[in-house]
Amino acid sequence: MCGIVAYKGKKDCYPILLSGLKKLEYRGYDSAGVASIINNKINITKRAGKVKELENAINSKKSSQNCGGLGIAHTRWATHGEPNQKNAHPHLDQSKKISLVHNGIIENYDPIKKFLKSKKITFKSDTDTEVLVQLIGYFYNKGKLDFEQSVRAALQRVDGAYGIVVLNVDFPEMMIAARRGSPLVLGIKEGEFFIGSDISPIVSYTQQIIYLNDSEMAVINKNNYQIKSVEKDVALPKKVEKIDYKIDDFDKGKFKHFMHKEIHEQVTTIGNTLKARSTKNSVLLHGLSEYWEEIQSADKIYITACGTSWHAGLIGKNLIERFAKVPVHVEYASEFRYNHSIIDNKTVVIAISQSGETADTLAAIAKANDYGAITIGICNVPGSSVSRETKCGVHTRCGHEIGVASTKAFTAQITVLYFFALKLADSKKTMTKSVMKKYLDLSMWPKYMDDIKSVLKKEKSIKKIAEKYQNASDFLYLGRGLNFPVALEGALKLKEISYIHAEGYPAAEMKHGPIALVDKNMPNVFIVPKDKTYDKIISNIEEIKSRKGKIIIVTDSRDKILRDLADDLILVPKTTHYMFVILATIVLQLFSYFIAVAKGCDVDQPRNLAKSVTVE
Ligand code: G6P
């Protein structure tokens, strides 16, 4: 999985490719490379590490080169083969005529590799991708097939997923792209063509877009393009879509890290969602109107997502069941695809995704669509694959999220789910008008914003507590009900950016196993709202305390009991259930952020991770 950008036009391709790669780094950042055709040779520059390394390498060579207007580029998140220079894309075939970048996984790479080795083809990398470019080269160099036919012949023999762009020195005016399972977008401008694994590297140049479907290829030659089938040499009629989407420049403002900036942005992002999605007696989710009849009469709901978005789904389940009394199942997208869920046209499937490009989530949507479900996307990126492949949806609109650890997108997802649950409850009449009015009390929104601000103002004291625990090797995060997913999310944030092992558990379940881990060195973070679970959670704290575990409490309660039990206590303003979830989440985001900073970790681009995982 990874990011692809390619360009054909009159301009020097390198600045376009490098700026595109930077926008795609959310898909992987362990190595990057570009290939262009210079003086009838494929010229490749690759580097292990981030796009910056590649940029430095290119800039140091560049003065002596005419880079030309045809190039392909890639940023990688390793699947097959270590993240080093040798395994970075673009890859070359043996004749060094053909070069390719690839997203996805070629599942039958092993038998193809054996076949090619038997034909005296030697391999330079450990990747599945090199097998594909060598196979194209094998067909092409036999001399019977032209470039396009060779690409088609090779693609017909591979299993798995691909989004590829290929160059051939014998065709210096040509670029071929194809996809199956891995999204690709073609951008068109007078005399210029752009290809991206999503629109982010393209939108600043053109808004005329063609989304390739599975088994389609784009053949770009001189000033023309054709969309064809991978199966047969037939042209397919395809509509050019005009997209209306801008990507803001990436700017950290006064913050050292994007994650820190994005945590602080939550005052605005949550405030905007609250204001935009509500009037004093109704919820506004226009993206669902066309399907609302079916949604409100559905007999069950599945929520499917990955990572942080899955945690938002757990909170959504609680809210929807509580308000609208519809059964909700929450499943990891990667499991949803293969399990035996009962889905039909009376089922709503909500797919939640910040990026809208997560491969497992897309596969879950495809399955739900196949079964006739009403698919809803809750997604932050308009024009993304999730937005396009679900029947209807709601954009979280919290702005570009760059830090790999999701923060503002999570709280935006929860806010949208909160409104979805209220709207459904209203339609199903499971909530009285007077209760609904309480939930939609617009005069509360400014108070909510003030509460978030007051939590952010506590960051100095949160930092101090975080620094105290920076050397712990394991953490437990414990919460109940709506705050169990908050515990899971707190633990995930810590793992992602500080590499400290952390587990989230329902507070009471902790005694069925995890308590064996507790000793005097182990910090235990309890999320304790003053609600009906309060007394029980106090008992859970006592259970850890009597085993000498360290107790960190996040609460809205000023009780002396909690103060006596806690080694450290972080107090948030007294508020509603929904807002407590948001406030506690922000505390835990700051807590893990400051631990990661104290440990000197790469907060925005932690090791081994990617912002969006585009392979299954
Ligand atoms: C990756 C990211 C997580 C994210 C998950 C789902 O694992 O590192 O931060 O929560 O993907 O991504 P999505 O874009 O679908 O919400």
mmCIF file of all heavy atoms in Angstrom, residues 306-309 352-358 361 404-406 413 492-493 496 609-613, ligand 1:
data_model
loop_
_atom_site.group_PDB
_atom_site.id
_atom_site.type_symbol
_atom_site.label_atom_id
_atom_site.label_comp_id
_atom_site.label_asym_id
_atom_site.label_seq_id
_atom_site.Cartn_x
_atom_site.Cartn_y
_atom_site.Cartn_z
ATOM 1 N N CYS A 306 -11.923 0.806 11.007
ATOM 2 C CA CYS A 306 -10.634 0.324 11.522
ATOM 3 C C CYS A 306 -10.066 1.344 12.500
ATOM 4 O O CYS A 306 -10.375 2.537 12.399
ATOM 5 C CB CYS A 306 -9.613 0.190 10.393
ATOM 6 S SG CYS A 306 -10.153 -0.823 9.045
ATOM 7 N N GLY A 307 -9.209 0.864 13.377
ATOM 8 C CA GLY A 307 -8.427 1.750 14.248
ATOM 9 C C GLY A 307 -9.303 2.681 15.068
ATOM 10 O O GLY A 307 -10.333 2.304 15.635
ATOM 11 N N THR A 308 -8.881 3.940 15.095
ATOM 12 C CA THR A 308 -9.604 4.957 15.858
ATOM 13 C C THR A 308 -11.060 5.066 15.404
ATOM 14 O O THR A 308 -11.968 5.243 16.223
ATOM 15 C CB THR A 308 -8.869 6.304 15.688
ATOM 16 O OG1 THR A 308 -7.628 6.203 16.394
ATOM 17 C CG2 THR A 308 -9.656 7.466 16.238
ATOM 18 N N SER A 309 -11.292 4.966 14.117
ATOM 19 C CA SER A 309 -12.665 5.084 13.599
ATOM 20 C C SER A 309 -13.548 3.966 14.161
ATOM 21 O O SER A 309 -14.747 4.147 14.359
ATOM 22 C CB SER A 309 -12.664 5.037 12.072
ATOM 23 O OG SER A 309 -11.925 6.116 11.566
ATOM 24 N N ILE A 352 -17.116 4.032 8.824
ATOM 25 C CA ILE A 352 -16.490 5.262 9.336
ATOM 26 C C ILE A 352 -15.022 5.270 8.926
ATOM 27 O O ILE A 352 -14.315 4.283 9.141
ATOM 28 C CB ILE A 352 -16.588 5.330 10.877
ATOM 29 C CG1 ILE A 352 -18.036 5.117 11.335
ATOM 30 C CG2 ILE A 352 -16.054 6.659 11.392
ATOM 31 C CD1 ILE A 352 -18.174 5.055 12.855
ATOM 32 N N SER A 353 -14.589 6.376 8.363
ATOM 33 C CA SER A 353 -13.184 6.461 7.970
ATOM 34 C C SER A 353 -12.755 7.919 7.885
ATOM 35 O O SER A 353 -13.432 8.727 7.255
ATOM 36 C CB SER A 353 -12.991 5.784 6.609
ATOM 37 O OG SER A 353 -11.678 5.966 6.162
ATOM 38 N N GLN A 354 -11.661 8.245 8.526
ATOM 39 C CA GLN A 354 -11.116 9.596 8.386
ATOM 40 C C GLN A 354 -10.711 9.822 6.930
ATOM 41 O O GLN A 354 -11.188 10.737 6.284
ATOM 42 C CB GLN A 354 -9.911 9.764 9.317
ATOM 43 C CG GLN A 354 -9.340 11.162 9.422
ATOM 44 C CD GLN A 354 -8.550 11.623 8.202
ATOM 45 O OE1 GLN A 354 -8.835 12.686 7.630
ATOM 46 N NE2 GLN A 354 -7.588 10.853 7.759
ATOM 47 N N SER A 355 -9.835 8.956 6.434
ATOM 48 C CA SER A 355 -9.231 9.190 5.114
ATOM 49 C C SER A 355 -10.170 8.842 3.969
ATOM 50 O O SER A 355 -10.063 9.401 2.885
ATOM 51 C CB SER A 355 -7.981 8.323 4.970
ATOM 52 O OG SER A 355 -8.352 6.950 5.047
ATOM 53 N N GLY A 356 -11.037 7.879 4.204
ATOM 54 C CA GLY A 356 -11.899 7.400 3.114
ATOM 55 C C GLY A 356 -11.167 6.481 2.158
ATOM 56 O O GLY A 356 -11.690 6.139 1.097
ATOM 57 N N GLU A 357 -9.942 6.063 2.511
ATOM 58 C CA GLU A 357 -9.179 5.223 1.587
ATOM 59 C C GLU A 357 -8.729 3.905 2.217
ATOM 60 O O GLU A 357 -7.948 3.172 1.615
ATOM 61 C CB GLU A 357 -7.928 5.978 1.074
ATOM 62 C CG GLU A 357 -8.213 7.261 0.313
ATOM 63 C CD GLU A 357 -8.987 7.047 -0.991
ATOM 64 O OE1 GLU A 357 -8.993 5.913 -1.505
ATOM 65 O OE2 GLU A 357 -9.603 8.016 -1.474
ATOM 66 N N THR A 358 -9.171 3.603 3.425
ATOM 67 C CA THR A 358 -8.709 2.387 4.113
ATOM 68 C C THR A 358 -9.228 1.142 3.383
ATOM 69 O O THR A 358 -10.438 0.976 3.212
ATOM 70 C CB THR A 358 -9.192 2.426 5.572
ATOM 71 O OG1 THR A 358 -8.680 3.629 6.139
ATOM 72 C CG2 THR A 358 -8.717 1.237 6.360
ATOM 73 N N THR A 361 -11.901 -1.140 5.021
ATOM 74 C CA THR A 361 -13.211 -0.483 5.101
ATOM 75 C C THR A 361 -13.874 -0.480 3.723
ATOM 76 O O THR A 361 -15.080 -0.718 3.600
ATOM 77 C CB THR A 361 -13.043 0.946 5.654
ATOM 78 O OG1 THR A 361 -12.268 0.858 6.851
ATOM 79 C CG2 THR A 361 -14.376 1.598 5.965
ATOM 80 N N VAL A 404 -0.440 11.293 12.132
ATOM 81 C CA VAL A 404 -0.902 9.918 11.870
ATOM 82 C C VAL A 404 -1.886 9.459 12.942
ATOM 83 O O VAL A 404 -2.879 8.783 12.654
ATOM 84 C CB VAL A 404 0.321 8.967 11.741
ATOM 85 C CG1 VAL A 404 -0.093 7.521 11.884
ATOM 86 C CG2 VAL A 404 0.965 9.183 10.383
ATOM 87 N N ALA A 405 -1.637 9.828 14.189
ATOM 88 C CA ALA A 405 -2.582 9.448 15.246
ATOM 89 C C ALA A 405 -3.802 10.358 15.129
ATOM 90 O O ALA A 405 -3.702 11.574 15.237
ATOM 91 C CB ALA A 405 -1.909 9.603 16.595
ATOM 92 N N SER A 406 -4.942 9.747 14.908
ATOM 93 C CA SER A 406 -6.158 10.524 14.651
ATOM 94 C C SER A 406 -6.661 11.174 15.944
ATOM 95 O O SER A 406 -6.734 10.537 16.991
ATOM 96 C CB SER A 406 -7.212 9.578 14.088
ATOM 97 O OG SER A 406 -8.339 10.300 13.693
ATOM 98 N N GLN A 413 -16.162 12.459 14.354
ATOM 99 C CA GLN A 413 -16.972 11.253 14.067
ATOM 100 C C GLN A 413 -17.993 11.016 15.184
ATOM 101 O O GLN A 413 -19.168 10.732 14.934
ATOM 102 C CB GLN A 413 -16.057 10.019 13.956
ATOM 103 C CG GLN A 413 -15.186 10.014 12.713
ATOM 104 C CD GLN A 413 -14.004 9.049 12.807
ATOM 105 O OE1 GLN A 413 -13.694 8.502 13.869
ATOM 106 N NE2 GLN A 413 -13.328 8.840 11.689
ATOM 107 N N LEU A 492 -4.738 3.222 22.532
ATOM 108 C CA LEU A 492 -4.230 3.194 21.153
ATOM 109 C C LEU A 492 -3.337 4.409 20.876
ATOM 110 O O LEU A 492 -2.261 4.285 20.288
ATOM 111 C CB LEU A 492 -5.406 3.156 20.159
ATOM 112 C CG LEU A 492 -5.027 3.129 18.679
ATOM 113 C CD1 LEU A 492 -4.262 1.856 18.323
ATOM 114 C CD2 LEU A 492 -6.259 3.246 17.790
ATOM 115 N N LYS A 493 -3.790 5.594 21.336
ATOM 116 C CA LYS A 493 -2.985 6.806 21.108
ATOM 117 C C LYS A 493 -1.590 6.623 21.699
ATOM 118 O O LYS A 493 -0.590 6.962 21.089
ATOM 119 C CB LYS A 493 -3.619 8.044 21.760
ATOM 120 C CG LYS A 493 -4.779 8.710 21.106
ATOM 121 C CD LYS A 493 -4.554 9.346 19.778
ATOM 122 C CE LYS A 493 -4.645 8.338 18.689
ATOM 123 N NZ LYS A 493 -5.747 8.126 17.902
ATOM 124 N N GLU A 496 0.492 4.119 19.660
ATOM 125 C CA GLU A 496 0.843 4.609 18.326
ATOM 126 C C GLU A 496 2.032 5.557 18.361
ATOM 127 O O GLU A 496 2.921 5.457 17.533
ATOM 128 C CB GLU A 496 -0.345 5.365 17.705
ATOM 129 C CG GLU A 496 -1.445 4.482 17.189
ATOM 130 C CD GLU A 496 -2.610 5.291 16.638
ATOM 131 O OE1 GLU A 496 -3.023 6.285 17.265
ATOM 132 O OE2 GLU A 496 -3.112 4.930 15.582
ATOM 133 N N LEU A 609 3.848 2.957 11.052
ATOM 134 C CA LEU A 609 2.423 3.250 10.827
ATOM 135 C C LEU A 609 2.226 4.022 9.518
ATOM 136 O O LEU A 609 3.167 4.488 8.901
ATOM 137 C CB LEU A 609 1.864 4.093 11.974
ATOM 138 C CG LEU A 609 1.885 3.459 13.351
ATOM 139 C CD1 LEU A 609 1.239 4.386 14.359
ATOM 140 C CD2 LEU A 609 1.169 2.123 13.343
ATOM 141 N N ALA A 610 0.968 4.134 9.141
ATOM 142 C CA ALA A 610 0.588 5.028 8.045
ATOM 143 C C ALA A 610 -0.728 5.648 8.432
ATOM 144 O O ALA A 610 -1.486 5.069 9.210
ATOM 145 C CB ALA A 610 0.440 4.245 6.755
ATOM 146 N N LYS A 611 -1.002 6.803 7.896
ATOM 147 C CA LYS A 611 -2.254 7.486 8.234
ATOM 148 C C LYS A 611 -3.439 6.712 7.669
ATOM 149 O O LYS A 611 -4.499 6.659 8.275
ATOM 150 C CB LYS A 611 -2.211 8.908 7.673
ATOM 151 C CG LYS A 611 -3.450 9.722 7.949
ATOM 152 C CD LYS A 611 -3.254 10.612 9.144
ATOM 153 C CE LYS A 611 -4.515 11.258 9.629
ATOM 154 N NZ LYS A 611 -4.877 10.853 10.989
ATOM 155 N N SER A 612 -3.247 6.158 6.502
ATOM 156 C CA SER A 612 -4.327 5.370 5.921
ATOM 157 C C SER A 612 -3.718 4.083 5.393
ATOM 158 O O SER A 612 -2.723 4.116 4.662
ATOM 159 C CB SER A 612 -4.958 6.161 4.786
ATOM 160 O OG SER A 612 -5.864 5.346 4.109
ATOM 161 N N VAL A 613 -4.313 2.962 5.789
ATOM 162 C CA VAL A 613 -3.739 1.673 5.418
ATOM 163 C C VAL A 613 -4.485 1.170 4.183
ATOM 164 O O VAL A 613 -5.628 0.732 4.272
ATOM 165 C CB VAL A 613 -3.835 0.682 6.594
ATOM 166 C CG1 VAL A 613 -3.257 -0.661 6.202
ATOM 167 C CG2 VAL A 613 -3.078 1.237 7.786
HETATM 168 C C1 G6P B 1 -4.599 3.668 10.338
HETATM 169 C C2 G6P B 1 -4.290 4.938 11.110
HETATM 170 C C3 G6P B 1 -5.286 5.131 12.245
HETATM 171 C C4 G6P B 1 -6.704 5.115 11.691
HETATM 172 C C5 G6P B 1 -6.988 3.841 10.882
HETATM 173 C C6 G6P B 1 -8.291 3.929 10.128
HETATM 174 O O1 G6P B 1 -4.336 2.573 11.134
HETATM 175 O O2 G6P B 1 -2.972 4.912 11.612
HETATM 176 O O3 G6P B 1 -5.052 6.377 12.883
HETATM 177 O O4 G6P B 1 -7.611 5.221 12.739
HETATM 178 O O5 G6P B 1 -5.970 3.650 9.897
HETATM 179 O O6 G6P B 1 -8.198 4.956 9.180
HETATM 180 P P1 G6P B 1 -9.428 5.699 8.566
HETATM 181 O O7 G6P B 1 -8.835 6.708 7.629
HETATM 182 O O8 G6P B 1 -10.224 4.654 7.825
HETATM 183 O O9 G6P B 1 -10.207 6.306 9.664
#
